[in-house]
Amino acid sequence: VTRFGEALCWGRNANGQLGDGGNTTPTSPQAVRTDLRFSVVAAGDQMSCGVTLEAHAYCWGSDVGGSLGNGPAPSDWTPARVSGLEDVRHVAVGVHHACASLSSGAAYCWGRNDSGALGTGPSSPSSDVPVPVVGGLFFEAVSAGREMACGRETSGTVHCWGANLYGQLGSGGGASQTVPLEVPGGHVWSAIEAGRRFS
């Protein structure tokens, strides 16, 4: 994002994740095709998302599992507004899901719910629109990895949910978790970032 709010992307573009309306692979920055101005953007595996200066979330690229968050629409190679979210503070993109935190502290996720990546509790299906992360927590920021996500609370605690085969939730390896679990250790965190299978 430039200081004037213009979003630019470059690199692999097979699924329209650069937002320039095509699927060629530029090696230099190309403007996302939109008049929107962004405060932040996030890049995932096959899609991207951003938060506009008006605090709305937009995504573009592959819509596998509903990962663009705009209902049963097809994949979109230019920014499409995520349904139903207002006052968005932060957005994070995984592989086939994404999450956002709002100014209220609420967190929402959408897309595929493999291994509980949406944080919506047991037996929850995938969702092509945002659904609330359970637990009544107040997040300042969220981060999405492969089939999992983490959020940092205003108090400085971190909670993670989703796939846990490699211990990426920080709460001991083993079973996936469909609800947020606090990362132990008594730390006060200033930032959290989730990767492919680690945090």
Side-chain angles (χ1 to χ4, degrees), residues 103-160:
S103 295
S104 66
Y108 287 77
C109 296
W110 58 93
R112 283 175 54 166
N113 197 29
D114 300 335
S115 302
L118 302 187
T120 51
S123 304
S124 296
S126 299
S127 179
D128 58 15
V129 295
V131 288
V133 175
V134 301
L137 302 166
F138 296 90
F139 292 111
E140 282 192 347
V142 289
S143 182
R146 183 183 178 95
E147 299 177 2
M148 52 87 62
C150 295
R152 180 174 58 83
E153 275 205 284
T154 53
S155 63
T157 61
V158 162
H159 290 71
C160 297

Side-chain angles (χ1 to χ4, degrees), residues 41-139:
V41 294
D45 186 60
Q46 300 176 26
M47 56 173 288
S48 303
C49 295
V51 180
T52 66
L53 299 181
E54 296 77 26
H56 299 144
Y58 284 78
C59 295
W60 55 93
S62 171
D63 194 39
V64 171
S67 52
L68 297 187
N70 61 349
S75 297
D76 203 319
W77 292 357
T78 58
R81 186 170 172 181
V82 176
S83 300
L85 294 185
E86 303 285 345
D87 297 319
V88 179
R89 174 188 291 166
H90 189 259
V91 67
V93 182
V95 177
H96 295 305
H97 80 295
C99 298
S101 60
L102 310 186
S103 295
S104 66
Y108 287 77
C109 296
W110 58 93
R112 283 175 54 166
N113 197 29
D114 300 335
S115 302
L118 302 187
T120 51
S123 304
S124 296
S126 299
S127 179
D128 58 15
V129 295
V131 288
V133 175
V134 301
L137 302 166
F138 296 90
F139 292 111

